[in-house]
Amino acid sequence: EGFITMGNCCDRPKDTYIRVSLPAVCFVWQIAMVVLFGVFIRYNEESDAHWPEYKKKQNITSDAENDFYYRYPSFQDVHVMIFVGFGFLMTFLKRYSFGGVGFNFLIAAFGLQWALLMQGWFHSLDYNTGKIYIGIENLINADFCCAGCLIAYGALLGKVSPVQLLVVTLFGITLFAVEEYIILNLLHCRDAGGSMVIHAFGGYYGLAISWVLYRQNLNQSKHLQGSVYHSDVFAMIGTLFLWMFWPSFNSAIANHGDGQHRAAINTYVALASSVLTAVAVSSLSHRTGKLDMVHIQNATLAGGVAMGASAEFMITPYGALIVGFCCGIISTFGFVVVTPFLERKLKLQDTCGIHNLHAVPGMLGGFISAIVAAAATESVYSKEGLVSTLGLEGKFANRSPGTQGGYQAAGTCVAIAFGLVGGAIVGFILKIPIWGDPADDNCFDDEVYWEVPEDEETIHPVLEYNNHMTHKQTESNFTLEQS
Amino acid sequence: EGFITMGNCCDRPKDTYIRVSLPAVCFVWQIAMVVLFGVFIRYNEESDAHWPEYKKKQNITSDAENDFYYRYPSFQDVHVMIFVGFGFLMTFLKRYSFGGVGFNFLIAAFGLQWALLMQGWFHSLDYNTGKIYIGIENLINADFCCAGCLIAYGALLGKVSPVQLLVVTLFGITLFAVEEYIILNLLHCRDAGGSMVIHAFGGYYGLAISWVLYRQNLNQSKHLQGSVYHSDVFAMIGTLFLWMFWPSFNSAIANHGDGQHRAAINTYVALASSVLTAVAVSSLSHRTGKLDMVHIQNATLAGGVAMGASAEFMITPYGALIVGFCCGIISTFGFVVVTPFLERKLKLQDTCGIHNLHAVPGMLGGFISAIVAAAATESVYSKEGLVSTLGLEGKFANRSPGTQGGYQAAGTCVAIAFGLVGGAIVGFILKIPIWGDPADDNCFDDEVYWEVPEDEETIHPVLEYNNHMTHKQTESNFTLEQS
Amino acid sequence: EGFITMGNCCDRPKDTYIRVSLPAVCFVWQIAMVVLFGVFIRYNEESDAHWPEYKKKQNITSDAENDFYYRYPSFQDVHVMIFVGFGFLMTFLKRYSFGGVGFNFLIAAFGLQWALLMQGWFHSLDYNTGKIYIGIENLINADFCCAGCLIAYGALLGKVSPVQLLVVTLFGITLFAVEEYIILNLLHCRDAGGSMVIHAFGGYYGLAISWVLYRQNLNQSKHLQGSVYHSDVFAMIGTLFLWMFWPSFNSAIANHGDGQHRAAINTYVALASSVLTAVAVSSLSHRTGKLDMVHIQNATLAGGVAMGASAEFMITPYGALIVGFCCGIISTFGFVVVTPFLERKLKLQDTCGIHNLHAVPGMLGGFISAIVAAAATESVYSKEGLVSTLGLEGKFANRSPGTQGGYQAAGTCVAIAFGLVGGAIVGFILKIPIWGDPADDNCFDDEVYWEVPEDEETIHPVLEYNNHMTHKQTESNFTLEQS
């Protein structure tokens, strides 16, 4: 019954006035963050000024043992992926580059604060003091958490208002922290690069929202739904920074030493393999073998997504190559065949094709990690290596690699379920007509939420003069000029 | 009397011929650098081939203790901020992108050599040998020093010649080294991220120069003073690299261990907070809530500037959030209200709005650090932590935190005074009509100092043919095409 | 006789259909890589899960001693140079940005896998097990190896098909590994930053190929051979990332400790010096002193190339400045005078001017390293430092610095010879008319190998409507509009 009412509301003409809602949400939220940080968040022993004392107590001889030096370079690479990687990947639309990179910026800055709290409560809370103690690893995890929401944004790009995006982020981070707790702590899965918790979750979360928000008449914005030459080049900035830094993404929170080292190598070779097969399938799918920028911008990354969960494992370099090989093909095939199919048959509009880049490769990555974990042996890993790599310590010390494999598969399913159910619910919330979303003929257009500069016409003053002089006679030409 | 003569000179028509002056300055300067480096600059013990001997003598067991490994990742991040961050932030003008990124490149490459010398004489000179011994920390400081001049360039963007910029840099680096010596060594202030020595100084230095160089008829270049769609996207590259790497900027020369760790965390959260409030105020300032790219490109960074001086302190994460919160508001408000006011009432033309992004947040950052330092207690910092964080060692061992706070405030005033007085003097030097600066109707135009490619018209040969065939009949249309 | 047949073949009209050849090469190659990786490539002791055991056996006390932490930050910087640096440097052409950045991506992803194998067989093969054991240093070297081929691509940009590029890469990597083995292992040269093995080899390799592939009627594509305003700004992204990260390039595989530290410092100052002299000569070469973007994009990097081979040496900071000084001049002079001369007189078409940026500075860098090595003394290096820096260990323990200098010069000649001879042979292979290369009037055009978006015309729906309405009367105008 409630939904029916909403349905009616949605027929009203769209109002994209956000001068009250956007500032209100930002201010209220930011003040809440200040208060909650004040109550809960403190420096951990490695970032607190008591570190010299702690060092002595723990018999640590060198500042180089501070986790900061193990993880900060990777953190910065991940940071670049979140803000420049995802941000510029979404500039490909001809007139939505401001929204692509700008709202990406807003989502991530908004989300990382909430993520520090949510993940902190689940993972870094000291029950004695009631405080969350944070260090560099928390920052990396907060960035990871934002990645889930930015993936979801990929499906919604151009069709939602910034206020809606903040709602997507608020719920997305919350759901992320819960599913992550279930998968990593309760099921005790290994997922260093987040194939399940980030990509599968984020992908299906975005797809479910987009499915609920289906726009019958989106073809009214068809003329803005493609790229122009330079917007495609901008998007390549995003692609390349994602591609280059993916080894850091998958190794950022892996174990010190061989864990980080191996995760970086596996991801590096898997990504290289994806590029070759993505190019091959892209060429195959065109009449004379021309390449499609959409495939190069996206499917080349599929190997990194799929390597996430097993990056730390002894998957071997050729195993990583095979993962990249298959995912490059599957992802490109998805762009050529599946996305159009989903739009026609399932009423699912997925602007960036996150189904092919995140949802499916993330799911595959989860299942691959199940197989690789189940196949782990002491001879390959060494006794100590097996324990630390699969995390078979403490109350999980008796778990066999085979059982661990089963849990990896179960974890993947949990991530997908959270994404689909959570996304559907959030989608219905977003249908309430108070968020200032654009009309169907107004999508993919920066004009709606940004002050967009008048283009080009005023560059040459002489020209302007000419325009003015000949305005009467060449009215129609002048209009054409402005394009 | 001298100034009057100058005033007269300036009425002559502008001559932007720089074929003698620019090469001459570059060559003379570069040769001087070679000579001075030859006389003064040597490798320090960590970058010299005697390092293995030094290691043994100092009982250092691992190469990982070489400062290179503590600071090189941060150095590279700072390097990216200087060249890509500042450089692309200044590409936003529709026809001054070459000048924005290109002259930024020239200033920084020119300045860092002089900075190595100037800062070396003040900080790294061995009085026994008369040599300056350099290592990675000197490179970071040289980059920091350039940042001051690049901030000043922001106020002058589009209105000065490259030769003038080299003069600005020469004096800017010199003034920087002196004020830095006074603030950090004599007053013994703490300023890891340079709120005072870099941002407040650089900001007021640029503003003072711009004030002296006021151009009555700058509105003759009004048509070039805005952005176009893609130049705004280019500028976002600059913004994001500055934003992402600011934690590295503020932690690059902080103390090993908890110092660097804490500085990075504080800056990370302060910046996130700035984004939210900058978006909120930007939206509030538009009739229907649309966002303005100028605010997103600039005001989102204010939190990083203001956190500079207290990044290393135990300001707590919520303290950092509050700093970002306030500065995001103040900076955006500055762009909306103060910059137009300054231009109308104070005859101060500030192309990039450095007043709002650097001068004011830098000044605030200095005063914030005074408060935070004065509030420091042994229980919060630990005994050893208080000494190392506030630097209360050696002849400053008896200084109380409260006194240190007073000196932090005094240091901020010194930085501002140096900026204003130095800038005014340099401004008058730049009025001498020998530097090849552009006329008022020629500002913000790359044509003056760059060979600019003819745009677009020659892409399609068929089109060219058409142009030629129909040249007679469509003369005026053809002219229009060239826009 | 064979060549004559080929010559005849080449007169047939060009067919750029690559729908069979490109996917076939990619798939066959990638499958071969999987098989060869499966047979040969394994993790080394620092990336293998046996690391905890190895640590104990070797008495290593800290994970920080894992080579990953010494080299990963530099590796990521090099990675950015390969994909964003080289990639965006080649986006400067007005209608070949997709090909510039996209084929660069393909070459590097293809090449690095083959490089891991080729370099592995020569350098990391364990003769007992028949396996190649890889770690982070192998990844850096694989990236270096790709750099050689990407340099060669610079000479061929816009004139070859992607299939030809894969052939260039396949042979390029192979030749690289062989010449590298001869130079570094047999002649035992020192070349940390690859002046000889990367730049001199890659430069002459590309020039030789381009010389064989000379196109008589390339001026038929003249209208596409320049830049447009924004493509020049894109290219600056490439320039700056190369420039900023060159210290990491030259120090990435240098000795731990002072070696990496010194290499970074030397490169940093040499590059700064190049910028000043490149600007000076660029300004000198224009009638009124205007700067040329081509020089700023390229010649500013010459100092980094030339510092490669002696980056690790005690060349002193002023020595590095002098190297940068001279190479900035020579390189810019090359763009102004030599490249046009080569094209007119030697029939050598060099799209990016790699002759001036890589071939000549690389060669000079090799000879500079000969002089610096020959001048090395124990007092400057210390006994231990001399041995480790010049690598005078094991069977080379009796080599004097003077002799080492001679070998450095010999190594440079070997690199050039490999480049020239190898390039000539590969050039003839590329003349076989099966590779789908473009016709002379079709060069520098993305349309040939990419699906290029229709530009701009469809942005404003109102405009589209107008176009349609007035189509009859304004046919010719409408055609003009599409430009």
Side-chain angles (χ1 to χ4, degrees), chain A residues 49-377:
Chain A
H50 286 78
W51 164 254
E53 283 183 1
Y54 178 82
K55 242 179 16 175
K56 266 173 225 155
K57 215 165 52 192
Q58 300 285 318
N59 231 345
I60 296 166
T61 53
S62 164
D63 279 330
E65 293 300 318
N66 193 307
D67 201 33
F68 182 77
Y69 300 104
Y70 285 100
R71 306 211 184 274
Y72 191 71
S74 311
F75 160 67
Q76 276 296 2
D77 294 349
V78 171
H79 217 38
V80 172
M81 292 175 72
I82 299 298
F83 290 89
V84 164
F86 283 107
F88 273 85
L89 191 60
M90 292 197 266
T91 58
F92 75 99
L93 290 169
K94 64 181 80 168
R95 281 281 137 170
Y96 208 73
S97 301
F98 288 10
V101 69
F103 294 150
N104 182 89
F105 193 16
L106 177 61
I107 291 171
F110 176 93
L112 64 85
Q113 299 179 55
W114 182 228
L116 280 174
L117 282 163
M118 281 301 298
Q119 295 185 315
W121 284 318
F122 280 116
H123 300 287
S124 310
L125 190 67
D126 182 321
Y127 288 99
N128 297 318
T129 60
K131 305 295 182 199
I132 297 164
Y133 295 96
I134 65 168
I136 188 70
E137 199 170 334
N138 299 71
L139 307 194
I140 297 172
N141 276 312
D143 272 20
F144 278 1
C145 206
C146 295
C149 298
L150 296 176
I151 290 164
Y153 179 33
L156 308 173
L157 187 70
K159 302 176 298 185
V160 290
S161 77
V163 184
Q164 284 180 309
L165 287 172
L166 295 181
V167 174
V168 168
T169 309
L170 172 60
F171 286 98
I173 301 284
T174 311
L175 289 163
F176 184 101
V178 175
E179 58 108 30
E180 188 193 38
Y181 178 74
I182 295 172
I183 294 171
L184 300 189
N185 292 48
L186 302 187
L187 302 180
H188 200 66
C189 298
R190 302 295 288 175
D191 193 13
S195 289
M196 338 172 182
V197 297
I198 300 170
H199 297 286
F201 165 74
Y204 286 105
Y205 180 60
L207 291 173
I209 296 173
S210 191
W211 179 74
V212 175
L213 295 183
Y214 180 71
R215 287 169 177 270
Q216 194 96 41
N217 302 310
L218 192 60
N219 64 343
Q220 292 176 359
S221 300
K222 200 79 197 166
H223 59 287
L224 289 176
Q225 221 178 336
S227 61
V228 289
Y229 195 69
H230 280 165
S231 72
D232 267 329
V233 182
F234 277 119
M236 279 305 288
I237 297 174
T239 298
L240 288 175
F241 275 101
L242 286 171
W243 195 91
M244 296 180 303
F245 288 160
W246 216 294
S248 299
F249 192 91
N250 285 351
S251 69
I253 57 164
N255 289 337
H256 288 180
D258 63 296
Q260 290 194 284
H261 202 153
R262 192 164 55 252
I265 293 174
N266 288 335
T267 311
Y268 175 85
V269 298
L271 284 163
S273 177
S274 280
V275 175
L276 273 280
T277 55
V279 165
V281 177
S282 180
S283 178
L284 268 179
S285 69
H286 183 273
R287 200 173 39 80
T288 66
K290 289 188 187 182
L291 300 173
D292 187 329
M293 260 291 168
V294 172
H295 309 153
I296 307 303
Q297 283 160 7
N298 292 280
T300 51
L301 301 165
V305 174
M307 273 311 300
S310 35
E312 234 184 318
F313 295 164
M314 293 287 286
I315 190 171
T316 70
Y318 66 90
L321 275 187
I322 294 170
V323 170
F325 189 96
C326 298
C327 289
I329 294 172
I330 291 166
S331 185
T332 317
F333 182 80
F335 280 100
V336 177
V337 174
V338 182
T339 297
F341 172 84
L342 289 179
E343 179 150 2
R344 250 177 312 123
K345 301 288 169 179
L346 258 75
K347 310 283 183 205
L348 180 49
Q349 291 153 337
D350 176 7
T351 315
C352 293
I354 62 165
H355 174 267
N356 316 304
L357 175 51
H358 297 282
V360 170
M363 181 186 64
L364 291 175
F367 293 131
I368 290 163
S369 78
I371 298 167
V372 179
T377 63

Side-chain angles (χ1 to χ4, degrees), chain C residues 121-137:
Chain C
W121 284 319
F122 279 117
H123 299 287
S124 309
L125 190 67
D126 182 321
Y127 289 99
N128 296 319
T129 60
K131 305 295 181 198
I132 298 163
Y133 295 95
I134 64 169
I136 187 70
E137 199 170 335

Side-chain angles (χ1 to χ4, degrees), chain B residues 317-445:
Chain B
Y318 67 89
L321 276 188
I322 294 170
V323 170
F325 189 97
C326 299
C327 289
I329 294 172
I330 291 166
S331 184
T332 316
F333 182 79
F335 280 99
V336 177
V337 174
V338 182
T339 297
F341 172 85
L342 289 179
E343 179 150 2
R344 249 177 311 125
K345 301 287 169 179
L346 260 73
K347 309 282 183 205
L348 180 50
Q349 291 154 336
D350 176 6
T351 315
C352 293
I354 63 165
H355 174 267
N356 316 304
L357 175 51
H358 297 282
V360 170
M363 181 186 65
L364 291 175
F367 293 130
I368 290 164
S369 78
I371 298 166
V372 179
T377 62
E378 220 171 275
S379 69
V380 170
Y381 284 78
S382 83
K383 190 162 185 173
E384 201 177 330
L386 190 65
V387 168
S388 68
T389 306
L390 295 193
L392 304 178
E393 295 163 297
K395 63 178 175 176
F396 302 99
N398 294 322
R399 201 186 263 187
S400 73
T403 317
Q404 179 67 28
Y407 278 101
Q408 298 282 132
T412 310
C413 298
V414 171
I416 295 169
F418 257 84
L420 288 175
V421 176
I425 295 167
V426 171
F428 280 110
I429 295 170
L430 295 184
K431 290 197 97 164
I432 307 171
I434 57 173
W435 309 116
D437 55 317
D440 286 354
D441 58 350
N442 235 345
C443 287
F444 313 116
D445 194 349

Side-chain angles (χ1 to χ4, degrees), chain C residues 409-429:
Chain C
T412 310
C413 298
V414 170
I416 295 169
F418 257 84
L420 288 175
V421 176
I425 294 167
V426 172
F428 280 110
I429 293 170

Side-chain angles (χ1 to χ4, degrees), chain A residues 403-451:
Chain A
T403 316
Q404 179 66 29
Y407 278 101
Q408 299 281 130
T412 311
C413 299
V414 170
I416 295 169
F418 257 84
L420 288 176
V421 176
I425 295 167
V426 171
F428 281 109
I429 294 170
L430 295 183
K431 290 196 96 164
I432 306 171
I434 57 173
W435 309 115
D437 55 317
D440 287 354
D441 59 350
N442 236 344
C443 287
F444 313 116
D445 193 348
D446 274 333
E447 288 282 356
V448 182
Y449 303 112
W450 296 87
E451 294 192 58

